[in-house]
């Protein structure tokens, strides 16, 4: 029976509660909805859907599923039971494996099957299973980290097939207990039998060189390794005492060269090295890391300090960008020179400045102005007027929902995981801040899972005296690899950066998950706001003025006060106790911004806990006295006329208001508009100006259009289950078609051409025919819409195309799968 039809029949026999659990665990099965159980089974067997489902399995489930895959054969109907799998999984029990198989069946990754032909009477009473047909493609060629069999390597590696008979002959003549062979397949079977048991492999390795065991141990988790000049080194049977372990193993076929630089450990050798087991270590309990502890007070203080420092730095970033936007590179992102300028202004290192810029960007506090190609602050930004705890929640919500990874900034582009388009840059290049290379679509899911793991480990290891466990990347990664081993690579590339960013936001304090982090992990932001509002110190409204022309902030200043101080003094140092130094240049900057000496002194009196020192007063008054003797302004063009009355009428004309006209002399008016634009407006007023424009002196400015302020981000956790209404609607559709029960064999209703079911059934038939070298009859439509039936031998399926061999014409062809209406297997094999 077709695996898809068997699964369809099993799904239809399920209860509504079982189907609800399936749809909650695999929401993609009903997105979009399916018309019947046959289409549901086809989608559940699809490669993409199975891959998503495997990403949610824990290590014991994956180990059982991979073992089931290795010891079953859907083509011959060879199924397996829990008792059979127990023999291949060290440390397991039949009851535990049976429970795991049932959980995999609930996820529609395996289904019940008949016992193998010729099974003992006792075995027929056990539950037997087969995996879905696409599992082999999803798991890959090395399930459980084991290599392929010798027979498969002979079939797929021509170079190995050419020398394997000679290799077996040399081993036999050298005294090894291996049967001679005359064909490559016989030689492969001889090697497989020679290495089939742990005892026989240990007997072979008794004469191996030193360090051979250590070398083989490196293949414990993966069957492929890198070996330079592998094919050349495998060409001779080495017997000398000084031969290395690699050459010794290659010469005896215990390692098989794949190409000039890679080798593979065959399946039988790998299983024997594991003591005859497919899974050498099995446990239903996740590993418990050894963790240190910190006090609750230290954790709270560290988290609050990090939050206050981050809010201060974000406020400074916005002020700096408002004064001078961050220019972008032609290739995108902000270059190192611009980030160095930002870092120097913030008095921090370049990497931290890049992370802050990314945080501001993903939170909408900075936006890219398309006209100037620079990152600017949006107008009317709501964040600036919010209380500090709400500013923090704004940043946290944006960080949780963002598909960017700020901590990747500065990392080598070729070392980081590929970007959204799989792009890897040339060696030596790094990821720029606010560039596309820092995009990671799976970042929200990984962040959510990391916070959940932090919360799990914290609850498991909580000390009775209230101390909190200190969690590092290794502990979190170890738990992540157990709970979702298929996502281990994604976790490993992002987890350290996520922990660093979480520490910046106060979700982690002194290495431990803070109360705020626990509330966010539990999706309780209101509770986090209450905790922060209770413990975060209020922003200060005063500074301490000193006689050395400095103002000392005794704590975290109100953002408005800090921004006003930055207009008249230069910030120095790091941390909350910032020092603001007054100088002639800094006071002149405030005067240029439109302030005067009286306003500056009045501001300092209002916000200083001490009297204004005399040196500072003299500095401000003397600088103001020398200010404004010369005035410099900006003008894009000028209008000169001896007719003063005409100029006066022009200044008062409503149609000329857009030119920004300013009279600087009785006969001269300047304009903010370019010369050509100014002349065009004047001609529209009935005047006849003469355009005196030097090409080298014309500068055209493109002003950005003010956009609306960024809305406050609201975090919604990545959905792991579809809405109940969608599940109810899908169940109603499925149960409403109950009269059409998918059967098996000739009684099965035909799939509609072009449907998802028909596509999956056709692929299943093609792949089975490829494995068995079986002929198929295909109904193919040509470009003119004419259908024809052809008997061919499928060779390979890839990228929506199938390569077939036509035995009658003795040619190979490539057909698009969408042109194949249906596929029917025949019993005839192709020799």
């Amino acid at each position: 029976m077709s695996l898809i039809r068997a699964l369809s029949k099993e799904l239809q026999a399920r209860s509504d509660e079982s189907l609800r659990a399936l749809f909650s665990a695999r929401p993609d099965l009903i997105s979009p909805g399916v018309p019947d159980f046959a289409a549901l089974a086809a989608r559940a067997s699809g490669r993409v859907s199975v891959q998503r489902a495997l990403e949610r399995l824990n290590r014991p489930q994956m180990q059982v599923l991979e073992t089931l895959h290795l010891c079953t054969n859907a083509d011959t109907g060879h199924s397996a039971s829990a008792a059979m799998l127990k023999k291949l999984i060290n440390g397991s029990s039949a009851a535990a494996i049976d429970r795991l198989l049932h959980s995999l069946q609930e996820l529609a990754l395996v289904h019940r099957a008949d016992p193998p032909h010729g099974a003992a009477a006792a075995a027929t009473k056990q539950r037997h299973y087969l995996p879905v047909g696409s599992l082999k493609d999803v798991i890959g060629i090395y399930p459980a980290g084991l290599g392929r069999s010798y027979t498969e390597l002979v079939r797929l590696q021509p170079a190995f097939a050419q020398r394997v008979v000679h290799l077996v002959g040399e081993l036999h003549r050298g005294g090894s207990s291996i049967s001679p062979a005359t064909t490559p397949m016989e030689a492969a079977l001889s090697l497989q039998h020679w290495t089939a048991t742990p005892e026989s492999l240990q007997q072979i390795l008794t004469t191996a060189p030193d360090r051979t065991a250590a070398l083989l141990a490196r293949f414990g988790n993966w069957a492929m390794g890198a070996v330079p000049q592998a094919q050349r080194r495998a060409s001779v049977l080495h017997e000398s005492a000084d031969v290395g372990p690699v050459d010794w193993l290659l010469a005896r076929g215990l390692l098989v060269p794949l190409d000039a630089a890679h080798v593979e450990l065959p399946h039988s050798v790998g299983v024997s090295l594991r003591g005859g087991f497919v899974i050498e270590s099995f446990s239903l309990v996740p590993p418990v890391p050894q963790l240190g502890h910190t006090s609750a007070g230290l954790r709270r203080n560290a988290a609050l300090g990090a939050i206050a420092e981050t809010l201060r730095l974000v406020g400074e970033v916005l002020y700096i960008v408002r004064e001078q936007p961050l220019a972008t590179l032609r290739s995108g992102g902000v270059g190192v020179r611009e980030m160095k300028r930002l870092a120097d202004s913030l008095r921090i290192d370049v990497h931290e400045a890049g992370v802050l810029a990314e945080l501001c960007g993903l939170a909408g506090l900075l936006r890219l102005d398309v006209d100037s190609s620079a990152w600017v602050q949006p107008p009317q930004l709501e964040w600036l007027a919010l209380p500090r705890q709400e500013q923090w929640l704004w940043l946290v919500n944006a960080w949780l929902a963002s598909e960017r990874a700020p901590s990747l900034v500065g990392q080598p582009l070729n070392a980081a995981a590929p970007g959204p388009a799989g792009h890897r840059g040339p060696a030596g290049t790094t990821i720029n801040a606010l560039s596309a290379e820092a995009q990671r679509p799976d970042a929200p899911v990984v962040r959510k899972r990391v916070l959940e793991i932090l919360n799990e480990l914290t609850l498991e290891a909580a000390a009775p005296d209230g101390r909190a466990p200190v969690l590092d990347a290794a502990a979190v990664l170890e738990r992540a690899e157990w709970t979702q081993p298929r996502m281990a690579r994604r976790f490993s590339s992002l987890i350290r950066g996520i922990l660093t960013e979480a520490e910046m936001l106060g979700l982690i304090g002194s290495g431990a998950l803070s109360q705020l982090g626990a509330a966010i992990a539990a999706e309780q932001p209101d509770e986090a706001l209450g905790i922060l509002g209770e413990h975060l110190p209020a922003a200060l409204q005063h500074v301490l003025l000193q006689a050395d022309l400095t103002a000392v902030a005794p704590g975290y200043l109100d953002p408005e006060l800090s921004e006003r101080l930055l207009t008249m003094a230069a910030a120095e140092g790091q941390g909350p106790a910032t020092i603001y130094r007054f100088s002639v240049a800094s006071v002149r900057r405030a005067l240029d911004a439109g302030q005067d000496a009286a306003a500056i002194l009045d501001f300092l009196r209002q916000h200083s806990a001490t009297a204004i020192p005399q040196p500072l007063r003299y500095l401000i008054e003397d600088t103001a006295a020398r200010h404004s003797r010369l005035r410099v302004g900006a003008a894009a063009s000028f209008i000169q006329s001896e007719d003063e009355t005409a100029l006066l009428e022009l200044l008062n004309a409503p149609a000329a208001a857009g030119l920004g006209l300013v009279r600087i002399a009785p006969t001269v008016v300047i304009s903010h508009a370019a010369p050509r634009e100014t002349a065009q407006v004047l001609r529209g007023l009935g005047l006849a100006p003469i355009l005196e424009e030097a090409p080298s002196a014309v500068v055209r400015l493109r002003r950005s259009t003010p956009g609306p302020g960024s809305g406050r981000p609201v975090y919604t956790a990545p959905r792991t289950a579809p809405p109940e209404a969608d599940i109810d609607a899908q169940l109603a559709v499925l149960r409403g078609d109950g009269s059409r029960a998918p059967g098996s064999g000739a009684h099965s209703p035909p799939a509609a051409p072009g449907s998802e079911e028909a596509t999956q059934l056709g692929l299943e038939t093609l792949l089975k025919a490829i494995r068995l070298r079986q002929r198929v009859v295909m109904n193919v439509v040509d470009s003119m819409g004419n259908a024809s039936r052809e008997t061919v031998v499928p060779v390979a399926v890839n990228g929506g195309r199938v390569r077939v061999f036509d035995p009658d014409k003795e040619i190979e062809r490539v057909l698009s799968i969408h042109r194949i209406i249906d596929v029917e297997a025949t019993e005839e094999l192709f020799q």
Side-chain angles (χ1 to χ4, degrees):
M1 181 194 299
S2 162
L3 293 179
I4 295 177
R5 294 192 180 278
L7 180 59
S8 172
K9 187 175 181 180
E10 183 175 288
L11 290 173
Q12 189 169 13
R14 289 193 183 191
S15 64
D16 286 357
E17 290 73 18
S18 177
L19 290 174
R20 285 181 182 277
L22 173 63
F23 298 152
S24 297
R26 298 179 63 179
D28 60 291
L29 296 185
I30 59 172
S31 179
V34 292
D36 50 36
F37 283 100
L40 177 64
R43 185 174 297 176
S45 303
R47 186 179 187 278
V48 175
S49 181
V50 171
Q51 185 170 345
R52 290 174 179 167
L54 262 57
E55 289 177 351
R56 301 184 180 96
L57 299 185
N58 58 32
R59 183 179 293 166
Q61 288 175 315
M62 277 302 305
Q63 289 174 332
V64 169
L65 185 60
E66 289 178 324
T67 306
L68 179 69
H69 163 62
L70 284 171
C71 65
T72 56
N73 189 326
D75 298 334
T76 60
H78 187 80
S79 58
S81 65
M84 296 170 62
L85 298 185
K86 176 183 177 298
K87 301 175 182 178
L88 301 174
I89 302 177
N90 188 27
S92 65
S93 65
I97 294 177
D98 196 55
R99 288 194 300 270
L100 291 172
L101 284 171
H102 180 69
S103 70
L104 295 172
Q105 182 186 11
E106 289 295 306
L107 293 172
L109 294 173
V110 305
H111 59 85
R112 293 285 299 277
D114 295 330
H117 180 70
T124 58
K125 299 179 181 179
Q126 300 171 357
R127 289 190 290 266
H128 288 72
Y129 298 88
L130 281 173
V132 293
S134 61
L135 184 65
K136 180 178 180 180
D137 293 335
V138 176
I139 288 182
I141 61 175
Y142 299 135
L146 293 170
R148 292 166 289 185
S149 65
Y150 278 109
T151 54
E152 192 171 3
L153 289 170
V154 162
R155 184 169 57 87
L156 299 175
Q157 296 296 128
F160 180 61
Q162 290 176 4
R163 58 176 289 269
V164 66
V165 175
H166 177 69
L167 183 150
V168 170
E170 284 194 342
L171 290 173
H172 179 71
R173 288 189 294 272
S176 299
S177 57
I178 186 171
S179 302
T182 57
T183 65
M185 194 57 65
E186 288 181 1
L189 293 173
S190 295
L191 286 171
Q192 203 159 293
H193 180 74
W194 187 46
T195 58
T197 64
E199 294 76 18
S200 60
L201 183 63
Q202 289 301 318
Q203 181 65 30
I204 296 170
L205 295 177
T206 53
T207 60
D210 295 338
R211 307 186 309 278
T212 302
L215 175 65
L216 291 173
R218 298 173 65 178
F219 290 88
N221 296 320
W222 198 243
M224 189 176 70
V227 173
Q229 302 178 348
Q231 290 176 337
R232 185 181 66 81
R233 297 166 69 176
S235 60
V236 180
L237 182 63
H238 299 278
E239 297 289 354
S240 59
D242 58 347
V243 68
V246 174
D247 293 334
W248 191 90
L249 293 169
L250 285 169
R252 283 154 182 79
L254 301 181
L255 288 179
V256 175
L258 301 178
D259 52 35
H262 296 90
V263 297
E264 182 174 325
L265 188 78
H267 178 87
S268 58
V269 180
V271 172
S272 295
L273 286 173
R274 297 180 181 185
F277 298 102
V278 170
I279 303 300
E280 195 173 10
S281 176
F282 179 82
S283 175
L284 295 173
V285 181
V288 179
Q290 298 295 323
L291 304 174
H293 288 79
T294 186
S295 66
L298 188 59
R299 177 186 62 174
R300 181 184 63 250
N301 293 340
L304 295 176
I307 292 171
E309 179 69 359
T310 298
L311 293 178
R312 181 185 71 83
L313 288 173
V314 168
E316 286 199 30
V317 168
L318 297 181
Y319 169 77
I320 294 167
V321 173
R322 194 158 56 244
E323 293 295 313
Q324 183 177 350
L326 294 175
T328 59
L329 301 170
R330 289 184 179 180
S331 58
V334 180
V336 177
R337 182 176 300 177
E338 277 289 88
M339 294 313 304
K340 181 69 166 58
R341 175 178 67 83
L342 180 64
D344 290 343
S345 300
L346 296 173
R347 287 108 40 219
I348 58 178
D349 61 66
V350 175
H351 175 71
E352 188 176 355
V355 174
L356 278 170
E358 280 281 344
L359 186 61
C360 293
L362 62 86
L365 308 184
L366 298 179
R367 68 171 176 84
L368 181 62
D369 179 42
V370 295
D371 290 331
S372 62
S373 295
W375 287 86
V376 300
Q377 176 188 311
Q380 302 174 353
L381 184 59
E382 180 189 0
W383 187 87
L384 296 171
L386 292 177
R388 300 177 76 199
Q389 60 268 27
E390 292 191 27
Q391 288 182 337
W392 169 81
L393 187 59
W394 177 309
L395 296 177
V396 170
N397 282 340
W399 175 74
L400 288 171
S402 175
E403 293 185 352
R404 298 187 62 81
S407 292
L408 291 181
V409 172
Q411 289 191 16
L413 189 57
N414 57 335
H423 171 70
R424 289 185 186 271
T429 59
T430 58
I431 297 177
N432 292 319
L434 302 171
S435 66
E437 285 75 17
Q439 195 82 4
R440 292 294 180 272
D442 56 350
V445 176
V446 175
R447 284 194 196 100
K448 180 177 184 293
R449 187 65 192 124
V450 167
L451 288 178
E452 291 173 348
I453 291 174
L454 288 170
N455 201 26
E456 291 171 9
L457 293 174
T458 299
L459 294 176
E460 291 175 7
D465 56 359
R467 293 183 300 159
V470 176
L471 304 166
D472 56 8
V476 179
L477 185 58
E478 184 182 32
R479 177 59 60 89
E481 289 177 342
W482 191 90
T483 55
Q484 291 176 277
R486 295 279 295 186
M487 290 189 67
R489 184 179 178 187
R490 302 185 195 179
F491 278 106
S492 63
S493 65
L494 295 177
I495 194 166
R496 288 169 179 80
I498 288 175
L499 294 179
T500 300
E501 295 154 15
E503 194 164 6
M504 285 179 57
L505 294 169
L507 304 178
I508 295 175
S510 191
L513 184 70
S514 65
Q515 287 182 298
L516 298 171
I520 294 297
E523 299 182 21
Q524 297 176 342
D526 292 337
E527 180 182 343
L529 272 181
I531 296 172
L532 189 59
E534 180 181 351
H535 294 96
L536 188 65
L540 298 179
Q541 294 285 345
H542 67 275
V543 294
L544 304 176
L545 295 176
Q546 301 187 110
D548 62 350
L549 303 181
T550 60
V552 178
Y556 291 98
L557 297 181
D558 180 81
E560 186 176 351
L561 172 59
S562 175
E563 183 176 326
R564 186 76 181 275
L565 273 174
L566 287 172
T567 63
M568 61 186 67
E572 298 178 349
Q574 295 180 339
T578 306
I579 298 175
Y580 297 87
R581 184 170 298 280
F582 296 88
S583 64
V584 173
S586 66
V587 174
R588 187 182 294 127
R589 186 170 65 244
L591 296 171
D592 290 340
Q595 304 182 55
D596 55 22
I600 295 174
L601 292 173
D602 183 59
F603 170 78
L604 293 178
R605 289 191 193 95
Q606 292 179 14
H607 296 284
S608 175
T610 59
I612 300 178
Q614 189 180 56
L616 179 57
R617 184 186 303 110
Y618 285 169
L619 172 68
I620 295 171
E621 292 174 347
D622 289 349
T623 305
R626 295 192 300 272
H627 192 261
S628 301
R629 293 180 182 179
L630 295 177
R631 300 182 64 85
V632 178
S637 60
F638 71 90
I639 305 170
Q640 190 274 333
S641 175
E642 298 299 332
D643 189 347
E644 298 182 18
T645 303
L647 288 180
L648 184 60
E649 292 176 354
L650 181 61
L651 286 169
N652 296 324
L659 297 178
L661 300 178
V662 177
R663 191 173 187 178
I664 61 173
T667 60
V668 180
V669 173
I670 62 173
S671 170
H672 292 168
R676 291 186 183 276
E677 183 181 349
T678 302
Q680 184 177 358
V681 173
L682 295 181
R683 290 189 182 102
L685 295 173
L687 302 174
I690 299 174
L691 183 61
E692 297 179 357
E693 181 182 13
S696 61
V698 176
V699 178
R700 298 187 182 273
L701 300 179
R702 300 177 64 190
R703 295 180 175 83
S704 59
T705 303
S710 299
R712 189 181 306 192
V714 177
Y715 170 67
T716 302
R719 182 177 293 277
T720 56
E724 286 295 325
D726 292 354
I727 297 179
D728 292 339
Q730 182 62 77
L731 285 174
V733 171
L734 293 174
R735 296 307 186 192
D737 194 26
S739 59
R740 182 190 157 195
S744 61
H747 301 288
S748 301
S755 66
E756 188 171 5
E757 177 193 2
T759 302
Q760 290 294 338
L761 285 171
L763 285 175
E764 183 183 49
T765 303
L766 288 172
L767 293 173
K768 182 176 180 180
I770 291 171
R771 293 191 297 269
L772 300 179
R773 294 179 61 82
Q774 191 176 30
R775 298 174 189 259
V776 297
V777 178
M778 297 193 306
N779 193 359
V780 184
V781 177
D782 61 17
S783 59
M784 302 300 293
N786 301 315
S788 62
R789 293 179 65 84
E790 303 177 11
T791 301
V792 295
V793 180
V795 177
V797 177
N798 188 27
R801 295 177 179 272
V802 55
R803 184 161 58 94
V804 300
F805 176 74
D806 191 332
D808 297 333
K809 300 179 181 179
E810 295 187 353
I811 60 172
E812 280 195 358
R813 299 164 52 201
V814 176
L815 302 174
S816 296
I817 290 180
H818 73 273
R819 292 191 180 277
I820 303 174
I821 298 177
D822 56 63
V823 182
E824 181 181 348
T826 68
E827 298 298 329
E828 185 180 0
L829 301 180
F830 179 73
Q831 301 297 330

